[in-house]
Structures are given as structure tokens and as C-alpha cells.
């Protein structure tokens, strides 16, 4: 599909009986799929204001709303431990349907867990993976942090505002509570390891990890390093968990440099 490089489009594809919403930006030769975080959507976590920091002549970027989020509703999201495994299947099928393979998978927070599964299972269709604010394990302290955040009515208005631009208060409240319960389930039933944790050694493509130096949610990214064959770490010292939204120019610059660097090595 030929479109002007600067144009932003929103559309749907039916995949496995579900209407999957997505956006498209740019018309470049480097294909990229972005995946949102928990109770997110592409409009919240990968808005056009962020995408515009990427060169539209260099990239074709697809932002997906995973099943149950954003425009990929109804039905609403079912929060479960294996949800990112299932999302990974939809991600690959969407890019195949759009004839945009091989591609770079880019995921933030929960979306980074989906990206790990994509990188693990879609060999031959993935050129590289970018993992932003990645969490593959949770300990007792982490569970308590999530419990403290479970009731969104107790959040500051400024903390709820980004979500309420895209969702009702009722949706946010239920989905976030269910998400916190899922995290506790992973701790109690899986020893604190999300399924993606055991997938890390199976990733064959180059990996860029981006983190915020002030992120209170993430484990030490260096603990993930030994499990990935080819990985590079970049840290925004002032960034928190939401550094991609707060510092989109820095994020785009790091991703762009990584794509160019790995493309030269693969040539």
C-alpha cells in the first residue's frame, strides 16, 4: 500500500476472528511494529507526536492495539499470565497481513514482554527487537508495589489523566486491578517469572534495551543481559518508567541509531 510518507492512517484487520485496530505512519524501507504497555493503546503510548520523531522516509511504523485494548474492542481485555504469548501471535499475523516483514519489534513495559515472545517465535520475520522498560520477573517487593497501586481511585488526577483520555474510569479501574492480580498470580504460581523470562535465551536477533534511570518498576536491566546473546543497553538518566512518552526524541534517536547500526552489520 503506497501512502505519502508523512501521512498517518488508522485502520483495522480481522485476525483470528478479532478486529485488530492499528495505525500506520511513514513509508520507509525499515518496517517497525510498536506495542503498548498495560491498559494502554497506540494512541496513548505511541502517539503521533512521538512517531513524528522518526524519519517517515526511513521507517514504516505500525502501532497495534492488542486484543481488548484501544480500538481492538469489544471484547475487553482478559488479564491473564499468558496474554503476552497470545498477543505475540496477533502481532506477527498483522505484519504478515500488511506484507511488512521482516520487521523490528518495539515494545514498552507490558509490550516489551510481548516483543520478547515475538522475537523468540518469529525467527526469519524479525530483524531486531527493542525492549523499553522491560520487566520479566517480579519479587515480593514488586507485588507489594502493585498492590499499593491496585485502586486507581487513589491515584493522583495527573496519574489517571493519560488513561482517561482513551478509556472510561470504570474500564481503567477494572483492568488495572485485574492486571495487578495477574502480577501477583505470576509471583505465586510461576515463582515470579513471567513466561517471557524463559524465552530470553532463545532470542537470536540483535536486541536494544532502553531504560529510565529513575524507573522504580523495572528490575536491574543488567540481570537480563546474560540471558540474551546480542544485547545493548542505553539509559536515560532522568527518565522514569514512562520515559518513551516523556522523552520521545531521545527514544527515537536511540532506536534509529540501533536500526542503522545493525543494518550495516547485517549487510
Amino acid at each position: 500500500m503506497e501512502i505519502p510518507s508523512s501521512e498517518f492512517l488508522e485502520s483495522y484487520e480481522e485476525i483470528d476472528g478479532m478486529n485488530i485496530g492499528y495505525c500506520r505512519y511513514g513509508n520507509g524501507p525499515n518496517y517497525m511494529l510498536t506495542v503498548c504497555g498495560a491498559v494502554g493503546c497506540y494512541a496513548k503510548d505511541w502517539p503521533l507526536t512521538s512517531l513524528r520523531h522518526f524519519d517517515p522516509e526511513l521507517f514504516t511504523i505500525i502501532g497495534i492495539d492488542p486484543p481488548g485494548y484501544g480500538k481492538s474492542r469489544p471484547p475487553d481485555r482478559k488479564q491473564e499470565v499468558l496474554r503476552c504469548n497470545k498477543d505475540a501471535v496477533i502481532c506477527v499475523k498483522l505484519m504478515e497481513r500488511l506484507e511488512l516483514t521482516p520487521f523490528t519489534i518495539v515494545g514498552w513495559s507490558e509490550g516489551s514482554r510481548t516483543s520478547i515472545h515475538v522475537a523468540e517465535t518469529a525467527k526469519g520475520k524479525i530483524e531486531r527487537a527493542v525492549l523499553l522498560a522491560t520487566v520479566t520477573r517480579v519479587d515480593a517487593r514488586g507485588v507489594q508495589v502493585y498492590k499499593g497501586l491496585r485502586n486507581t481511585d487513589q491515584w493522583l488526577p495527573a496519574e489517571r489523566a493519560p488513561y482517561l483520555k482513551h478509556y472510561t474510569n470504570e474500564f481503567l479501574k477494572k483492568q488495572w486491578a485485574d492486571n495487578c492480580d495477574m502480577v501477583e498470580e505470576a509471583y505465586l504460581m510461576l515463582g515470579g517469572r513471567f513466561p517471557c523470562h524463559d524465552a530470553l535465551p532463545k532470542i537470536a536477533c540483535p536486541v536494544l534495551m532502553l531504560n529510565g534511570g529513575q524507573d522504580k518498576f523495572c528490575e536491574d536491566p543488567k540481570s537480563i543481559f546474560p540471558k540474551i546473546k546480542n544485547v545493548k543497553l542505553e539509559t536515560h538518566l532522568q527518565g522514569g518508567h514512562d520515559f518513551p512518552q516523556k522523552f520521545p526524541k531521545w527514544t527515537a534517536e536511540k532506536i534509529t541509531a540501533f536500526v542503522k547500526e545493525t543494518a550495516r552489520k547485517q549487510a
Side-chain angles (χ1 to χ4, degrees):
M1 179 173 63
E2 291 295 328
I3 63 172
S5 62
S6 60
E7 190 170 352
F8 177 79
L9 301 177
E10 296 181 288
S11 189
Y12 296 87
E13 286 287 341
E14 184 175 332
I15 299 176
D16 293 348
M18 298 175 285
N19 278 329
I20 300 300
Y22 69 93
C23 69
R24 178 170 179 152
Y25 171 79
N27 196 30
N30 294 282
Y31 307 145
M32 182 186 301
L33 177 68
T34 62
V35 190
C36 63
V39 200
C41 57
Y42 66 71
K44 171 185 172 292
D45 298 339
W46 297 100
L48 180 57
T49 52
S50 293
L51 298 182
R52 282 182 173 147
H53 289 287
F54 291 92
D55 182 352
E57 300 290 343
L58 184 63
F59 291 98
T60 297
I61 302 176
I62 302 296
I64 187 173
D65 276 343
Y69 285 159
K71 298 184 183 299
S72 298
R73 298 178 294 156
D76 289 345
R77 183 80 155 174
K78 181 180 179 182
Q79 302 289 355
E80 55 180 335
V81 170
L82 293 177
R83 64 190 181 176
C84 292
N85 305 62
K86 297 177 180 179
D87 288 349
V89 175
I90 302 298
C91 286
V92 176
K93 288 185 176 181
L94 175 62
M95 295 301 277
E96 289 176 330
R97 181 75 58 82
L98 298 176
E99 299 182 349
L100 296 175
T101 61
F103 64 98
T104 299
I105 183 71
V106 181
W108 173 62
S109 194
E110 175 186 296
S112 69
R113 296 199 287 272
T114 298
S115 298
I116 290 170
H117 289 298
V118 171
E120 172 209 2
T121 60
K123 295 179 177 67
K125 297 182 175 68
I126 294 296
E127 292 183 305
R128 59 190 68 79
V130 182
L131 310 177
L132 295 82
T134 304
V135 179
T136 66
R137 298 182 299 179
V138 63
D139 56 14
R141 182 196 65 84
V143 170
Q144 292 305 312
V145 170
Y146 274 93
K147 282 186 175 181
L149 295 171
R150 190 177 186 278
N151 184 357
T152 58
D153 287 342
Q154 296 176 353
W155 292 10
L156 294 173
E159 294 172 332
R160 288 197 303 270
Y163 296 88
L164 296 180
K165 288 180 181 178
H166 308 282
Y167 295 118
T168 66
N169 186 60
E170 291 73 18
F171 181 91
L172 171 62
K173 187 172 183 177
K174 182 182 189 309
Q175 288 289 322
W176 191 263
D178 289 350
N179 176 62
C180 292
D181 292 344
M182 181 279 299
V183 171
E184 185 173 15
E185 180 183 350
Y187 175 71
L188 295 174
M189 304 299 292
L190 300 176
R193 294 191 307 274
F194 292 105
C196 66
H197 185 74
D198 295 327
L200 291 170
K202 302 175 185 177
I203 299 177
C205 66
V207 176
L208 172 65
M209 291 185 65
L210 297 181
N211 279 71
Q214 307 302 315
D215 193 337
K216 298 179 181 179
F217 285 92
C218 285
E219 61 193 290
D220 184 351
K222 293 181 180 178
S223 68
I224 298 177
F225 264 42
K227 296 184 175 295
I228 305 177
K229 299 180 181 68
N230 183 359
V231 60
K232 177 181 180 180
L233 173 66
E234 298 272 8
T235 301
H236 193 295
L237 296 180
Q238 288 77 43
H241 193 66
D242 60 351
F243 73 88
Q245 294 82 43
K246 293 290 182 64
F247 304 101
K249 184 174 184 290
W250 180 88
T251 302
E253 287 174 348
K254 295 300 180 183
I255 294 174
T256 299
F258 177 64
V259 169
K260 291 181 176 179
E261 174 188 341
T262 51
R264 284 195 298 270
K265 291 180 179 179
Q266 292 168 355

